[in-house]
Amino acid sequence: MSKDFYTASDLADLGYVSERLTSVFGERDSVDGEFGWDADTVDAIERDVLAPAARIMFDAFAPE
C-alpha cells in the first residue's frame, strides 16, 4: 500500500493496534480535515525502529 498519508483505520487494517498508534508514530497531523500520519513518518518508523527490533526478536528465538 503506497500512500502519502495514513489514517488510524489504514494502520489498523495493516495490523497495528489502534490504541497504540500515537505511542508508535507520534502525534497525528491533520490533512484535509482528517487526522493521520505522514507516510514518510510511518515508513521511517517501520524501517529504522520496528524492522531492526523484529530482526533482534526473531534471532533471539531462532532454533539452534
Side-chain angles (χ1 to χ4, degrees):
M1 176 187 290
S2 179
K3 301 179 79 137
D4 293 331
F5 186 77
Y6 289 92
T7 65
S9 296
D10 294 333
L11 292 172
D13 289 346
L14 293 173
Y16 288 98
V17 177
S18 298
E19 294 79 17
R20 302 284 187 243
L21 292 174
T22 301
S23 64
V24 173
F25 297 110
E27 293 299 321
R28 298 179 298 171
D29 298 321
S30 177
V31 173
D32 296 329
E34 189 168 20
F35 287 99
W37 294 267
D38 180 77
D40 291 336
T41 299
V42 172
D43 293 342
I45 296 287
E46 288 180 337
R47 179 189 63 241
D48 299 338
V49 177
L50 299 176
R55 281 192 293 277
I56 290 168
M57 293 304 298
F58 288 132
D59 286 345
F61 293 100
E64 297 201 27

